[in-house]
Amino acid sequence: MAFTAQDVKALREKTGVGMMECKKALVEADGDMDKAVDFLRERGLAAAAKKATRIAAEGVVLPYYDAEAKKGVVVEVNSETDFVAKNEKFMSFVEGVAKTILATNPADVEALKEEKFDGTDRTVTETLNDLVLSIGENMKVRRFERMDGIVSTYIHGGGSVGVMVGFDVADESKAATAEFDAMGKNVAMQAAAMAPIALNEDGVPQEVKDHEFKLAAEKAREEGKPENMIERIASGRMTKFYKEVCLLDQAYIDDNKLTVAQYLQKVDKDLTVTDFKRFTLRSE
């Protein structure tokens, strides 16, 4: 079956692959467009396998919230370069991954790979391989966290930091107001800027508490404090530590006379934060 230059152009528009590769595919497929697409996808699997050894050190963190379903997710997808991370196709894929997670509720990234990508009959892995073939870089879905209920999100630095914060609201109709939107964004921005490790003291891992207390005690001894005062001094310094690393205890960035908890009470006495998730691009 013969093919024309228009066919090559059509295949390129359909797959995003270069003109020469599209021409080769049509030659292999004897001009059959569907077979040519399959040929490129098969090559894409091979190309993806080769590119998978290259380090994907850039990418984006995307927090995404479905207000109707009351479900949120923050997902990190990596690419090799910052240039690709700003690519429209790449960002569309990342958003599709977020929607897929909310729709299918996979247990982890490995399970996610086998789910049908949002709005298609192809898996997340197949869709990713198509994108790798089209763009020419290694990419991978690295991690995600979900959250149900009333959620506010914030994305910083074009996707270098992504935050979602969960709220418990006595009257859920208030969650649809402009005041709530502003408050939610403010708290999410606080988490993005101040990098808390827990919601409150109870959420700080015990090993972190033990380590910080030991450091505080050692510092007090180095300062020559009496041994019978060491524990009391270390405990006082731990209180300061919690104010630095616990979201609700932090000084509110827009009014440091208030803690974040006090700011929430000022907005609505029946409002509480239930949880937060903060991702930094390739932070671990």
Side-chain angles (χ1 to χ4, degrees), residues 61-63 73-76 142-147 152-157 159-166 187-199 245 247 250 275-284:
V61 172
L62 178 70
V73 62
V74 58
V75 59
E76 178 178 353
R142 183 164 180 245
R143 55 178 174 156
F144 65 86
E145 289 277 1
R146 289 183 298 265
M147 190 179 291
S152 291
T153 63
Y154 176 70
I155 185 169
H156 176 75
S160 61
V161 179
V163 174
M164 60 179 177
V165 182
V187 176
M189 287 176 66
Q190 170 93 23
M194 302 307 292
I197 65 172
L199 194 60
V245 303
L247 177 61
Q250 287 180 339
D275 197 4
F276 75 94
K277 303 294 180 184
R278 181 185 187 276
F279 278 13
T280 301
L281 185 63
R282 286 190 62 83
S283 63
E284 54 190 42

